[in-house]
Amino acid sequence: VMRFWLDFGVDGFRVDAIAQVIKDDRLRSNPINPSYRVDPASPDYDPYLAQLHVWDGMRPEVLDVVRGMRKVVDEYEGDRCLVGETAVLERDRYAKLLGDGSSLLHLGFDFHPILASSIPEIRQAVEATSAALHPDVWPTLALSNHDQDRHVTRLTGGTVGDDVQARLAAAALLLQRGTPFIYYGEEIGLPNTVVPDDRLLDPVGLVERERGRRLPIRPGLPAAGYGRDPARTPMPWTDEPGGGFTAEGQQPWLPLGDPSRNVASQSGDAVSVLSWYRRLIALRRSSAALVAGDYEPVKAPEGVWAFLRIHGSERVLVSLAHGERSWMSIRDVGRLVGDEEARELTVLEGTHRVAGSRVPAMGPIALEQGEVVVLVLRRAS
């Protein structure tokens, strides 16, 4: 089957639930999780968490299956790729599916950022996972998918869009070391959409509704609906009836969200979330440091996530001010990796600053709440 599609010229495959592709050869039941003490009669009871997943996932044979798939992909010329849906939260087990990058998956989704509910949690997740991987493995970056709440909703706890959080998250996704994946809608800052009970389609949601239970990760979202449907609603292309997704008068399989948050209105807005995504993608493509550079965290005030991307002689400093307004000194950063003679540094991109503007190299700079600024410390020679 893989060769059939590779012969057609596909670039690769997303491999669903790869850790669960093999079950125990004796079909043994998972043991009960002794630390999970929720009453089975309670609406909050989760049968998945009530088990220790010993026999139904990450069996030793799983790696043999992945090696076989990789061998097939490697038969073909070009950059063919295997992307695993690696929903394995134990980082040592997750790392096994990637190995040293030579014979298993090329990329594998890390679910820790996909479950994170703040910018600091995203930082902790990507740094911890990177430390657990073999040095030759390339990270995989994603903040949302079809099974979890959209990250704007997780970051705000609601179903109303928040452009500040959307921009911070975009920078965390697109300026990191690794291959970023964008889940449709996040490039316009789309939050979860409210799905009435009578419009539910997700089997998980239907069971939850019957039990009166909502997923543990969404305790503050009773208005959004049950299950996964609130993160699966149609892409709003325009503010017209049907959202440009379907013809006027026709009803899509799930309801559309806020009609004012759509692609058409944001395409012509220079300060929209969509324009910010486009600018960051263009910036990433223009910089070897942002495409392939190493990641080095930088000491910064509380509420600021600052890091360097380093490739050859090119040095880029990224700062995300997710807390209150603060002052950040770049003096030490500049002396460490930049041009000691420089009096000013160039802004490559920013939410509050114009690209091409300058900031002092030897003194502190004020970072507004929600600000993202990307500075070049040293250009590629």
Side-chain angles (χ1 to χ4, degrees), residues 21 33 56 61 79 102 139 181 209 249 256 286 300 309 322 378:
V21 72
N33 181 355
D56 64 341
E61 301 91 340
D79 293 327
S102 65
F181 285 77
R209 183 186 65 182
L256 286 155
S286 71
R309 298 296 309 282
H322 54 83
R378 180 184 290 171

Side-chain angles (χ1 to χ4, degrees), residues 241-264:
F245 179 86
T246 190
E248 183 176 353
Q250 295 182 350
Q251 182 171 273
W253 82 99
L254 287 171
L256 286 155
D258 177 4
S260 67
R261 187 170 291 276
N262 63 79
V263 174

Side-chain angles (χ1 to χ4, degrees), residues 5-7 9-12 73-74 76-82 106:
W5 290 107
L6 288 163
D7 287 342
V10 301
D11 292 317
V73 170
D74 287 347
Y76 290 76
E77 295 181 355
D79 293 327
R80 312 299 174 125
C81 185
L82 288 177
H106 295 88

Side-chain angles (χ1 to χ4, degrees), residues 16-284:
D16 189 75
I18 185 61
Q20 288 75 38
V21 72
I22 293 290
K23 304 296 186 284
D24 176 46
D25 57 0
R26 292 166 55 186
L27 299 180
R28 284 170 282 192
S29 296
N30 283 330
I32 293 173
N33 181 355
S35 64
Y36 189 74
R37 303 188 183 280
V38 179
D39 189 330
S42 168
D44 294 325
Y45 179 77
D46 189 327
Y48 186 86
L49 297 178
Q51 307 170 45
L52 295 177
H53 294 273
V54 176
W55 306 116
D56 64 341
M58 278 304 293
R59 302 306 303 151
E61 301 91 340
V62 168
L63 299 183
D64 294 332
V65 173
V66 177
R67 287 190 188 94
M69 299 179 77
R70 176 66 179 263
K71 287 180 180 178
V72 173
V73 170
D74 287 347
E75 293 174 10
Y76 290 76
E77 295 181 355
D79 293 327
R80 312 299 174 125
C81 185
L82 288 177
V83 185
E85 188 202 20
T86 44
V88 181
L89 293 180
E90 302 87 355
R91 287 188 169 90
D92 57 337
R93 302 174 82 195
Y94 166 78
K96 288 181 180 178
L97 289 163
L98 296 157
D100 64 1
S102 65
S103 62
L104 293 165
L105 295 171
H106 295 88
L107 299 170
F109 290 114
D110 175 18
F111 271 65
H112 291 92
I114 295 173
L115 298 174
S117 58
S118 68
I119 297 298
E121 285 185 16
I122 293 173
R123 173 182 183 171
Q124 190 279 332
V126 298
E127 290 183 349
T129 297
S130 180
L133 296 175
H134 187 281
D136 293 335
V137 168
W138 188 244
T140 309
L141 306 169
L143 298 181
S144 296
N145 72 14
H146 61 290
D147 285 332
Q148 307 297 335
D149 290 311
R150 291 182 173 276
H151 67 253
V152 168
T153 287
R154 298 197 319 273
L155 294 173
T156 61
T159 57
V160 178
D162 186 319
D163 289 355
V164 172
Q165 293 298 320
R167 291 188 184 95
L168 286 168
L173 176 72
L174 296 171
L175 303 180
Q176 273 297 316
R177 177 179 179 268
T179 296
F181 285 77
I182 298 174
Y183 180 56
Y184 83 96
E186 67 184 71
E187 69 271 47
I188 58 172
L190 192 67
N192 281 8
T193 297
V194 175
V195 178
D197 286 6
D198 61 357
R199 295 290 304 274
L200 286 174
L201 295 177
D202 177 23
V204 172
L206 294 171
V207 170
E208 289 174 355
R209 183 186 65 182
E210 183 177 346
R211 296 187 55 141
R213 172 185 172 274
R214 301 180 192 278
L215 290 175
I217 64 169
R218 49 193 304 154
L221 305 174
Y226 295 95
R228 301 166 292 184
D229 286 336
R232 297 177 170 186
T233 56
M235 181 72 169
W237 296 100
T238 71
D239 61 0
E240 301 168 326
F245 179 86
T246 190
E248 183 176 353
Q250 295 182 350
Q251 182 171 273
W253 82 99
L254 287 171
L256 286 155
D258 177 4
S260 67
R261 187 170 291 276
N262 63 79
V263 174
S265 64
Q266 292 197 21
S267 291
D269 183 354
V271 297
S272 68
V273 175
L274 179 59
S275 294
W276 176 242
Y277 267 81
R278 288 172 171 167
R279 283 155 54 191
L280 291 186
I281 291 170
L283 174 62
R284 181 185 176 95

